[in-house]
Amino acid sequence: MAEYVYPALFHSNEDGSFTITYPDLPGCISEGKSLGNAMYMAQSALTQWIEYLTDKKQSIPLASNLESIKTTQDEFVNLIRVEIKENRAVKRTVSIPKWMDDKVIETGLSLSRVLQDALKEKLNVG
């Protein structure tokens, strides 16, 4: 799992909503209807942006120093942190009893999906 922390620029709009941009990630823009929603949306946008860059094998820019970002009176800067999980599939060899494999085939279950769901539950991860 990789961790990223980027400064986000929050612009306060007249209707109480916020527009969020990332000075280091041109085109990474989001909006929130309230400050709480804006914080959530900022994290979501950053996650998707980093995942996109990773998927496309593009370099991930370094984050600017928080103090180097200029603001106007309607703006503030906040650090946004995300953890990116690598979702690339890996092959593992597992053993199950023959009767169980027969039942899996008979019911049409995806053994990979069942194993992933069981591991997520056992590991308490979403």
Side-chain angles (χ1 to χ4, degrees), residues 35-98:
L35 182 55
N37 180 246
M39 295 297 285
Y40 173 81
M41 296 303 289
Q43 191 173 38
S44 178
L46 180 57
T47 298
Q48 290 176 31
W49 199 261
I50 298 295
E51 286 175 344
Y52 174 82
L53 291 175
T54 302
D55 287 347
K56 297 297 181 186
K57 298 187 181 357
Q58 295 181 11
S59 62
I60 298 171
L62 295 175
S64 293
N65 185 317
L66 191 64
E67 292 80 26
S68 69
I69 299 172
K70 306 292 182 226
T71 61
T72 66
Q73 78 179 53
D74 294 339
E75 297 175 327
F76 68 92
V77 177
N78 196 54
L79 292 175
I80 303 296
R81 176 186 171 274
V82 296
E83 289 181 351
I84 306 296
K85 296 177 185 172
E86 186 176 335
N87 288 322
R88 174 179 59 92
V90 294
K91 289 190 176 255
R92 300 290 298 233
T93 302
V94 298
S95 299
I96 59 172
K98 170 88 170 94

Side-chain angles (χ1 to χ4, degrees), residues 104 108-115:
V104 167
L109 287 172
S110 164
L111 194 56
S112 292
R113 172 57 48 208
V114 171
L115 178 59

Side-chain angles (χ1 to χ4, degrees), residues 23-35:
D24 303 307
L25 305 171
C28 185
I29 301 168
S30 192
E31 289 189 272
K33 294 181 181 185
S34 65
L35 182 55

